[in-house]
Amino acid sequence: MSKKKKVFSEEVELSEIVLEKTNQAFAMIRQEDIVHMGKTNTKGKRIYKMQAAAVAGICILTVSSISVIAAIHHYWGRGMNGNIQASDAQQQALTEQNIAKVYREEPDSSSLAVTDNGITVKPDTVVVDERFAYMSFSISGYHVEDGTEPGFGMVTVYQGDNPEDESSWVNMYGSMYDGIIPDENGSPIYEDGSPLESDENGHLISHYTDSNGDMEYIIQASVVNENDSLLGKTMHVSFQNLGTHSRAAFTLAVEGNWDFAITLPDVSSSRTITVGQKVGETGFTLETIDISPISMKANYSVEEAPEEHEDDLGIPEVRGVVLKDGTRLPYLTNGGSMGYTDSSRKNACHMAGYDRVIDVDEVAALIVWTSYENEKVEIPISK
């Protein structure tokens, strides 16, 4: 599996997608746009050097035991629902099962906020399984003009206690939530279901702020090592400087540091299902699938590893599912990683998060793409 480390001015990638890709292309890029993150202070070929600001204290968050759950109606918020969509019933169920955590419900929620230079950042919601962690943070006190793209200058994410340790690395994608979500076919729409609108210059109009004028930053992080687990781990998230992004340029508006150490929920929601079916005409057999309401890991045996095409390993990708009632979600998965799990290249896996929560019991089949052959194969997993 790839083990690259990067910290980046994250909004550049999202701008290029929003401005240049629409409809199905948008959905396809969403599945590929995971950036490997580590603990360094450089971004690929671009390095931003900014004057250091006074560090606001690190806010330590823990997941407490659930009590008086029935009296609380859990609401994940617009940012988390933009990160991974969930119905009201799904939000209640996953929160009550301690798979999700809504921090604003905590009695001491105000103490979880970090304020620097008049800008307050605080955790809103986390949803976690073994492989993926979805996190949202609310931002208040910062405003931008219409038509500009807000963002942080630097975002650092790592797990554990030692950022120098390779085991701390995670795969990560993050952005300021822009009010745009994919529909069931992967096409972009506004969160209220309306189609996208463009400004006079032909650029898509984004809705970064809520009715209170606050914004949310959303993160999707996943394990680098396929045998690792995020359950119960401490996730460090550090935001540095606020400003606006325009293509490859970041314009600083407010210096600041907002640092958090989040202890993730430790409840497993993943189930292993034995499949044992060959994937089309490929040399791959889908042996098992580890599947949860928010991500999956497909485990393959390999007769003979195919020739690589540039950065395409030829490993099949699970892109969607078919539910028992016939509903098809062809673009369910939203970013992930894949690779051979042994030196003989006789075993491989594909890990992917979703763009919406699913009921594992209702999944009848997987929709699998055979990599560069662009063949879709449906593999039943329920009897």
Side-chain angles (χ1 to χ4, degrees):
M1 307 292 288
S2 175
K3 293 185 178 180
K4 298 179 181 178
K5 301 182 295 179
K6 292 183 182 179
V7 169
F8 66 114
S9 180
E10 27 65 35
E11 296 290 310
V12 174
E13 304 299 334
L14 187 61
S15 293
E16 293 173 354
I17 296 170
V18 172
L19 294 176
E20 298 175 7
K21 304 292 182 180
T22 57
N23 300 325
Q24 298 300 325
F26 180 96
M28 298 295 289
I29 288 181
R30 280 176 60 90
Q31 298 183 57
E32 299 170 354
D33 198 28
I34 292 296
V35 179
H36 298 283
M37 295 280 295
K39 52 78 187 176
T40 62
N41 291 317
T42 62
K43 174 196 179 297
K45 297 180 181 179
R46 294 187 289 271
I47 300 176
Y48 297 100
K49 295 183 179 179
M50 302 179 185
Q51 182 179 356
V55 177
I58 295 179
C59 183
I60 307 296
L61 312 179
T62 59
V63 177
S64 59
S65 60
I66 297 179
S67 60
V68 201
I69 289 298
I72 301 175
H73 183 89
H74 312 290
Y75 174 60
W76 290 3
R78 67 187 296 264
M80 182 56 70
N81 266 310
N83 204 348
I84 182 166
Q85 299 173 60
S87 67
D88 184 77
Q90 290 169 332
Q91 292 179 39
Q92 307 317 305
L94 268 63
T95 307
E96 292 174 11
Q97 294 165 19
N98 207 22
I99 296 165
K101 180 74 172 179
V102 181
Y103 287 105
R104 85 180 88 83
E105 296 176 355
E106 296 298 290
D108 61 345
S109 61
S110 60
S111 68
L112 306 179
V114 175
T115 300
D116 196 5
N117 270 342
I119 309 299
T120 298
V121 179
K122 58 185 176 181
D124 189 272
T125 308
V126 299
V127 187
V128 181
D129 70 1
E130 285 83 349
R131 297 166 293 274
F132 279 77
Y134 299 82
M135 298 180 281
S136 64
F137 295 81
S138 67
I139 300 140
S140 58
Y142 179 62
H143 305 280
V144 296
E145 295 180 0
D146 291 342
T148 59
E149 183 181 358
F152 291 100
M154 196 76 70
V155 178
T156 306
V157 179
Y158 68 92
Q159 61 171 315
D161 298 321
N162 181 11
E164 301 297 328
D165 189 339
E166 289 188 10
S167 64
S168 70
W169 303 351
V170 297
N171 296 328
M172 180 270 192
Y173 168 77
S175 72
M176 204 72 78
Y177 178 53
D178 60 3
I180 298 174
I181 61 173
D183 65 14
E184 292 184 353
N185 295 313
S187 298
I189 56 174
Y190 289 124
E191 57 191 355
D192 62 2
S194 60
L196 299 185
E197 298 177 342
S198 299
D199 61 20
E200 58 185 13
N201 296 316
H203 299 160
L204 295 181
I205 298 174
S206 298
H207 300 158
Y208 290 105
T209 59
D210 62 16
S211 58
N212 297 319
D214 296 338
M215 295 179 287
E216 290 191 44
Y217 191 89
I218 55 177
I219 290 174
Q220 176 182 301
S222 63
V223 297
V224 171
N225 187 314
E226 72 278 2
N227 295 317
D228 196 4
S229 172
L230 293 177
L231 294 178
K233 296 290 184 64
T234 298
M235 191 72 76
H236 294 268
V237 181
S238 177
F239 303 104
Q240 181 181 13
N241 299 332
L242 265 169
T244 57
H245 293 275
S246 178
R247 297 286 181 174
F250 172 74
T251 301
L252 175 65
V254 180
E255 291 184 339
N257 290 274
W258 301 267
D259 302 324
F260 302 86
I262 301 177
T263 301
L264 300 175
D266 59 3
V267 176
S268 174
S269 60
S270 189
R271 180 188 309 174
T272 299
I273 299 174
T274 300
V275 182
Q277 294 195 45
K278 191 170 183 180
V279 182
E281 300 301 319
T282 72
F284 291 82
T285 297
L286 180 57
E287 299 291 354
T288 62
I289 183 84
D290 300 324
I291 185 169
S292 86
I294 65 171
S295 82
M296 67 176 69
K297 175 187 173 188
N299 304 294
Y300 303 99
S301 62
V302 188
E303 295 176 7
E304 183 177 355
E307 181 181 352
E308 297 181 16
H309 291 187
E310 296 181 352
D311 60 349
D312 191 336
L313 300 177
I315 299 172
E317 298 182 40
V318 180
R319 295 283 183 87
V321 299
V322 181
L323 303 182
K324 291 179 180 178
D325 65 2
T327 299
R328 297 176 63 84
L329 301 174
Y331 297 100
L332 171 69
T333 57
N334 178 27
S337 58
M338 65 179 61
Y340 294 96
T341 59
D342 58 7
S343 58
S344 65
R345 293 160 64 93
K346 292 299 183 182
N347 295 280
C349 78
H350 170 226
M351 295 186 295
Y354 308 151
D355 65 17
R356 66 196 66 230
V357 172
I358 65 168
D359 183 347
V360 174
D361 291 334
E362 294 303 311
V363 177
L366 307 174
I367 301 174
V368 186
W369 288 50
T370 61
S371 193
Y372 49 78
E373 296 177 9
N374 288 325
E375 175 190 9
K376 295 181 184 178
V377 179
E378 288 190 17
I379 299 180
I381 64 170
S382 65
K383 298 180 181 179

